[in-house]
Amino acid sequence: MQKTPSLSTGTTGKPTRKALAAAKAAKPAQVIDELRPGQSIELLKELHILTREGKLNQDTRRKLKQVYHLYQFIAPLLQDIAGAERDFALADHGAGKSYLGFILYDLFFNVAHQGELKNGHIYGIETRAELVAKSRELAARLGFSRMSFLNLSVQEATASGELPPVVDIVTALHACDTATDDAIAFGLARQARHMVLVPCCQAEVAGVLKKSRALNLAKTPLAELWRHPLHTREFGSQITNVLRCLQLEANGYSVTVTELVGWEHSMKNELILASRPASAPHAAKTRAAQVRLQQVLGELGLGELTARFAVESR
């Protein structure tokens, strides 16, 4: 075991600056059990999961656990599509600093399949040009060659030739208001096999509920669910995600709704996982979801949003 040298003292009886520096240099490096072989230390520093000195404190340890937790949801989807003969594609909408894309890349290519020839590409889609530029620079510096960053909105990306015709996985984490709906529309247009969505700040449905509140109060006692402004906001958020799930099911996806992390970390915590079978979807279940979707829209007076939650024609 390496011993820390004894500290020499000056005339004041306190350790000298030289002695303190020597003691610090001799101190063993922190062993971080949570890190996985092959993980990029530089990336973890850039994401502020590790400090500049490569240390992990209690707050960043919780953050790292959340990263692993999220990866556990997406890793099986990557495994599913990575077995195909062609290159797979993952598009992350509203990527911001591309935190998610970098983590997925590192844990999948550099850790889970270190040294293997796995084909695939991760696209970060973001409207802020400065963040796109920074992500491109970081990917080049880290040697993450299977990453691209596009300065596009979700709607622009839907028609863009910079993305392949088929995008296997679509992610949109904390996509505000209708951005989640745009990501779903993108996934449907690009024939996504899987979608991973964490909606945020839904306001559109609540606005429609508020506008038609008086009419609905006269029509049905269920309007009491959104009579008060606070309830309008909360119920609007809840029903938005219900409609999204029905829309996905009506398009042939199986849907699971769960928590992303503990509620103590984030109130915007609902994770929607949608997967389309490789074979033809179950026709009866798809038709039933289509009917329920229209019934819910009609019952709640949300008919003007029919186009927003449309079912793709095949």
Side-chain angles (χ1 to χ4, degrees):
M1 178 182 293
Q2 184 180 10
K3 294 183 178 179
T4 302
S6 57
L7 298 179
S8 61
T9 59
T11 56
T12 61
K14 296 180 180 180
T16 63
R17 183 176 300 177
K18 184 177 180 180
L20 287 171
K24 184 177 181 180
K27 186 177 180 180
Q30 181 189 22
V31 177
I32 304 175
D33 295 329
E34 290 88 349
L35 296 187
R36 301 177 182 183
Q39 270 190 280
S40 170
I41 300 302
E42 185 177 356
L43 173 64
L44 294 176
K45 289 180 180 180
E46 287 287 341
L47 299 180
H48 305 293
I49 291 175
L50 292 180
T51 67
R52 287 297 170 193
E53 294 75 32
K55 302 293 180 66
L56 189 68
N57 58 38
Q58 195 58 38
D59 287 338
T60 53
R61 180 170 275 109
R62 282 195 296 268
K63 192 173 184 179
L64 185 61
K65 288 181 179 178
Q66 290 174 34
V67 165
Y68 290 153
H69 184 65
L70 175 59
Y71 180 70
Q72 285 176 351
F73 285 112
I74 303 180
L77 310 183
L78 288 168
Q79 287 293 126
D80 176 45
I81 61 174
E85 292 182 3
R86 61 176 176 79
D87 287 2
F88 72 81
L90 182 150
D92 180 32
H93 285 290
K97 297 179 180 178
S98 293
Y99 184 102
L100 174 63
F102 279 119
I103 286 292
L104 291 178
Y105 188 105
D106 195 36
L107 290 179
F108 185 76
F109 288 112
N110 297 337
V111 176
H113 298 284
Q114 188 176 25
E116 299 178 30
L117 292 175
K118 283 290 181 184
N119 295 323
H121 206 91
I122 294 176
Y123 297 86
I125 301 170
E126 171 58 47
T127 57
R128 289 166 287 183
E130 68 277 9
L131 296 183
V132 171
K134 287 181 180 178
S135 293
R136 287 171 177 168
E137 186 276 329
L138 179 58
R141 180 150 44 90
L142 296 175
F144 287 13
S145 58
R146 298 188 186 96
M147 292 192 82
S148 297
F149 304 92
L150 306 177
N151 183 204
L152 299 169
S153 67
V154 186
Q155 297 96 323
E156 291 168 339
T158 302
S160 174
E162 295 183 83
L163 289 143
V166 174
V167 173
D168 301 275
I169 299 180
V170 173
T171 61
L173 301 190
H174 298 123
C176 280
D177 201 14
T178 58
T180 297
D181 303 301
D182 294 336
I184 291 173
F186 171 91
L188 295 177
R190 296 282 174 153
Q191 305 170 55
R193 182 76 179 274
H194 306 286
M195 298 194 213
V196 181
L197 312 165
V198 179
C200 184
C201 307
Q202 301 96 309
E204 185 183 36
V205 170
V208 177
L209 288 171
K210 181 180 179 181
K211 185 170 60 177
S212 58
R213 182 184 298 147
L215 178 63
N216 282 311
L217 280 168
K219 175 184 169 186
T220 172
L222 286 177
E224 290 293 337
L225 291 171
W226 65 92
R227 178 163 63 92
H228 299 285
L230 177 60
H231 294 162
T232 303
R233 186 185 69 194
E234 297 300 319
F235 182 71
S237 178
Q238 175 80 356
I239 201 62
T240 300
N241 289 340
V242 170
L243 290 168
R244 286 165 175 161
C245 292
L246 281 171
Q247 180 190 23
L248 288 164
E249 290 174 339
N251 280 284
Y253 288 80
S254 60
V255 176
T256 301
V257 181
T258 187
E259 294 178 8
L260 175 60
V261 293
W263 290 104
E264 68 275 15
H265 298 296
S266 174
M267 292 303 292
K268 304 300 181 182
N269 194 37
E270 186 171 332
L271 174 63
I272 299 173
L273 297 166
S275 296
R276 183 169 48 81
S279 56
H282 194 287
K285 289 183 179 179
T286 299
R287 284 195 299 271
Q290 291 171 357
V291 171
R292 289 198 301 274
L293 175 59
Q294 295 307 316
Q295 287 174 333
V296 172
L297 287 168
E299 186 69 24
L300 299 179
L302 298 171
E304 67 182 78
L305 297 177
T306 299
R308 168 67 69 186
F309 299 102
V311 177
E312 285 280 297
S313 56
R314 300 291 179 185

